[in-house]
Amino acid sequence: MKKIKLDIVGLSYSQTQSGAYALVLGEVSGRRRLPIIIGGFEAQAIAIEIEKMTPSRPLTHDLFKTFAETYHIRIDEVVIYNLVDGIFYAKIIFNDGHKQTEIDARTSDAIALAVRFKAPVYTYEFILASAGIVIEGNDFVFLENIESSGANDPEAIVPKETSSFSSMTDEQLQETLSKALAEEMYEKAARIRDEITRRKSS
């Protein structure tokens, strides 16, 4: 089957599950988006790498990358290869310089590693056809819609501090961001970065 390349569009709070996030992947050459529900820890691991934050101590995925590189193992690609009962299945294709091997992994872990190894992420047409969403407009509006629609869902708990960021001055945002990074509150830091990015793009 032909593989379709995906990029990470963004992270947003889950509409349906409290304490979870929606990782939104986008079709590189199209308008379809693939939302995947992941846990808070995995969302943090992905956000840290995307935002180029530096944790005071290595996280699990950073440790795995260091271990792999020490033994000359690289990740060639990640493939989201199946969707069963609403659960995505992924595999990591890696190479040690002599042979290529694949292993099963949770999709969230696979993508957290892919961003660290700068490895491409792919899926298949049947997955995008069954779970993809065709967007109209830009991705920022799409992500905002995911978050705002989840705010009224009894199972989607959006932290109160999210809305408070919009009332802060630019200077206050920068100070709050620095404090969040110092205290290793990376999810909060990612949300502040989102607000800063939103202001720059508006």
Side-chain angles (χ1 to χ4, degrees), residues 158-176:
V158 179
K160 294 179 181 178
E161 62 191 358
T162 301
S163 58
S164 69
F165 294 148
S166 60
S167 63
M168 289 183 177
T169 65
D170 291 347
E171 184 178 340
Q172 288 173 327
L173 279 176
Q174 291 295 342
E175 290 176 358
T176 306

Side-chain angles (χ1 to χ4, degrees), residues 49-108:
E49 185 63 25
I50 291 175
E51 299 290 346
K52 300 302 178 187
M53 300 177 191
T54 304
S56 58
R57 300 294 298 158
L59 301 181
T60 303
H61 298 92
D62 300 314
L63 179 61
F64 182 93
K65 181 174 184 283
T66 301
F67 177 85
E69 289 179 337
T70 299
Y71 291 95
H72 310 291
I73 297 170
R74 72 173 188 273
I75 292 179
D76 292 333
E77 62 184 39
V78 164
V79 180
I80 302 171
Y81 68 91
N82 206 359
L83 174 62
V84 179
D85 296 330
I87 298 175
F88 293 90
Y89 290 79
K91 56 186 176 182
I92 301 172
I93 315 298
F94 64 93
N95 198 312
D96 65 357
H98 301 287
K99 67 176 181 177
Q100 191 176 72
T101 308
E102 63 181 55
I103 57 174
D104 276 321
R106 293 190 306 170
T107 301
S108 54

Side-chain angles (χ1 to χ4, degrees), residues 2 24 33 36 45 51 64 70 78 81 96 102 114 133 136 138 145 157 167 175 179 189-190:
K2 182 182 178 181
V24 182
R33 301 295 180 259
I36 300 174
E51 299 290 346
F64 182 93
T70 299
V78 164
Y81 68 91
D96 65 357
E102 63 181 55
I133 299 172
E136 296 180 5
N138 60 53
N145 287 339
I157 301 174
S167 63
E175 290 176 358
K179 183 177 179 181

Side-chain angles (χ1 to χ4, degrees), residues 12-15 22 24 35 141-151:
S12 186
Y13 297 105
S14 168
Q15 299 181 49
V24 182
V141 173
F142 177 67
L143 289 169
E144 278 194 330
N145 287 339
I146 288 179
E147 184 169 322
S148 62
S149 62

